[in-house]
Amino acid sequence: REARFKMGEGIAGYVTATGRPLLVEDISKSPLYKDLPSLGPVRPKETFLCLPLVYKGKSLGAVSLHNRITGKPFIRNDEVLLSILANQAAVAITNARNYEAAVRDPDTYLYTASHFERRLLEELQRVSGHKLPLSLIVMAPGGYAHYRQTLGEQKTDLMLAEIARRVRRHVRLGDLPARVQEAEFAVLMPDTDTDPAREVADRLRRLQEESPIEVGGVPITAKLAIGVTTFSYAEAKEHAVTPQALLDRARKAVTAC
């Protein structure tokens, strides 16, 4: 089961705060454990092992183990062995976080333009080998300069962040949404032809029109200008296309939507 604790709260919070492992011989008698919602029935004399996830002196969290399948108690040898695994997990978590920070736009949590271009280039090259098309959606809120002038920078950024959140929630699993310019978003859709891409684009457009964004208590209906283009296997056999050229083609298609 999953549970979330504050720093210093209960056994997991204590271990996270101190950065030191804790082996509790009988959790039914632990004041730290009693203060927490039960994660399952507590057996008499049951041991509880909690290990910190630490990387370069920074505590990232903790991993807790109880209800051992064999019913036998945890011992110090378990603590030593599992601490090694916990350290490896902390390294993996840190690497994953660093990667996400490198490829995500911090304001919208969409992918960055540079990461998007790299992935788009990879997918363009896959079209020839897999004989499947890819589609690209480009969108931007209409009247952006007006909103920037009337709402100010902070509120306009909040508006963009909400549009980005909607894009993240309503694209399909496997699609790659990105912020390619200050007020322009794009969605890379591998193995996707034009009609399914237009369905996603229309869904995003309707959502934006029918659900105003509240910024500072003021509802804003920022309509999206959207363009869709597709790069097919038949086209790939004729000529190659660069990521920038496909983006420009999607931008030119905005007026046709």
Side-chain angles (χ1 to χ4, degrees):
R1 298 182 186 181
E2 178 180 339
R4 294 180 181 273
F5 308 114
K6 297 178 182 178
M7 183 77 78
E9 179 188 17
I11 295 175
Y14 171 82
V15 169
T16 301
T18 61
R20 296 194 299 268
L22 182 63
L23 176 59
V24 180
E25 293 183 357
D26 186 350
I27 57 176
S28 66
K29 295 180 181 179
S30 170
L32 287 174
Y33 191 85
K34 286 180 179 178
D35 289 339
L36 299 178
S38 175
L39 295 181
V42 177
R43 295 191 293 262
K45 293 292 183 180
E46 182 177 26
T47 56
F48 187 98
L49 179 59
C50 191
L51 305 162
L53 298 169
V54 179
Y55 180 75
K56 292 187 176 179
K58 181 180 178 181
S59 185
L60 308 178
V63 57
S64 301
L65 301 98
H66 75 147
N67 286 338
R68 194 168 185 172
I69 295 175
T70 63
K72 295 181 179 180
F74 289 107
I75 59 176
R76 290 298 171 187
N77 284 345
D78 296 323
E79 181 183 319
V80 173
L81 174 61
L82 294 171
S83 289
I84 295 172
L85 298 178
N87 289 336
Q88 293 174 344
V91 172
I93 290 170
T94 301
N95 289 341
R97 286 179 175 178
N98 290 341
Y99 175 78
E100 283 293 297
V103 301
R104 296 275 188 178
D105 173 65
D107 298 320
T108 63
Y109 207 60
L110 298 178
Y111 287 102
T112 61
S114 57
H115 179 71
F116 182 82
E117 278 205 29
R118 286 194 298 271
R119 284 297 312 279
L120 179 52
L121 178 59
E122 292 171 3
E123 293 300 329
L124 285 170
Q125 293 168 346
R126 283 184 70 247
V127 170
S128 296
H130 291 254
K131 301 181 180 180
L132 292 171
L134 73 82
S135 289
L136 185 64
I137 300 174
V138 169
M139 68 196 85
Y144 174 73
H146 168 74
Y147 290 123
R148 198 79 171 173
Q149 184 176 8
T150 56
L151 295 176
E153 181 177 340
Q154 184 177 13
K155 290 183 177 179
T156 307
D157 287 344
L158 290 174
M159 179 188 75
L160 288 176
E162 174 58 20
I163 293 174
R165 186 189 70 83
R166 293 178 176 187
V167 171
R168 291 198 312 271
R169 288 188 62 185
H170 289 86
V171 296
R172 309 164 314 166
L173 185 66
D175 293 340
L176 192 144
R179 186 182 191 179
V180 291
Q181 290 187 3
E182 180 180 349
E184 183 182 63
F185 308 130
V187 181
L188 170 60
M189 308 177 74
D191 305 339
T192 304
D193 218 329
T194 305
D195 288 344
R198 286 194 178 278
E199 288 177 8
V200 173
D202 289 341
R203 183 165 66 243
L204 290 169
R205 183 189 294 107
R206 288 195 306 271
L207 174 68
Q208 196 61 29
E209 291 175 352
E210 297 169 3
S211 303
I213 296 172
E214 291 241 353
V215 178
V218 179
I220 299 172
T221 304
K223 295 183 178 181
L224 290 178
I226 302 182
V228 179
T229 192
T230 300
F231 184 65
S232 67
Y233 172 62
E235 185 178 357
K237 290 194 297 182
E238 296 294 329
H239 60 85
V241 65
T242 65
Q244 189 58 53
L246 198 65
L247 274 167
D248 289 341
R249 198 162 85 182
R251 289 174 180 133
K252 291 177 182 177
V254 167
T255 55
C257 291

